[in-house]
Amino acid sequence: MRDIDELRPLTAGRLLELWRQCREAEDPLERVLRCNGRILSECCFFQGERVYGDETEALADLTGRQMERLLCRLARDGGSGEDRPTEPGTVNPEFDAARFAALWRV
């Protein structure tokens, strides 16, 4: 794995755009790997410069486990590496974790 000293989170709009670009892949695993590679190619930085030129470079360099850790860090704390405590009132009481997990597998 190349050196990464900063993860820059993408906007929701950019994430959606990247997902749409990957929809042409029929195989779900290929689609997810390509999309995750594209996300990481745009989020991973070292000394202010992007680490990966595109998803192909990210996929060639990272293992599945490394990708998972980086993506979880981005999702959890915006890439800062610091867990942020959830403030009271910021959690959606209507959120259905089981439904979200089922949709995620699609």
Side-chain angles (χ1 to χ4, degrees):
M1 184 169 125
R2 298 179 190 177
D3 289 331
I4 299 169
D5 64 5
E6 180 183 9
L7 290 173
R8 296 181 186 172
L10 301 175
T11 64
R14 183 65 182 140
L15 287 171
L16 180 60
E17 191 177 323
L18 292 175
W19 175 252
R20 287 179 175 158
Q21 291 171 6
C22 297
R23 286 192 307 195
E24 72 275 358
E26 290 185 28
D27 180 71
L29 179 59
E30 180 182 352
R31 182 172 48 243
V32 168
L33 285 172
R34 281 185 179 196
C35 190
N36 288 343
R38 285 184 189 192
I39 291 167
L40 291 173
S41 75
E42 292 194 19
C43 292
C44 296
F45 286 80
F46 182 71
Q47 296 180 345
E49 300 290 325
R50 278 180 55 174
V51 174
Y52 302 109
D54 60 20
E55 77 269 14
T56 305
E57 286 184 30
L59 293 171
D61 184 54
L62 297 166
T63 66
R65 180 70 65 187
Q66 290 167 331
M67 291 176 69
E68 179 183 21
R69 283 191 208 123
L70 290 169
L71 291 164
C72 284
R73 204 170 115 200
L74 273 167
R76 182 184 69 242
D77 57 35
S80 69
E82 301 172 8
D83 285 321
R84 294 185 209 157
T86 304
E87 296 177 23
T90 61
V91 176
N92 181 353
E94 301 297 317
F95 180 74
D96 183 345
R99 182 169 182 258
F100 178 79
L103 289 171
W104 187 253
R105 288 188 287 253
V106 172

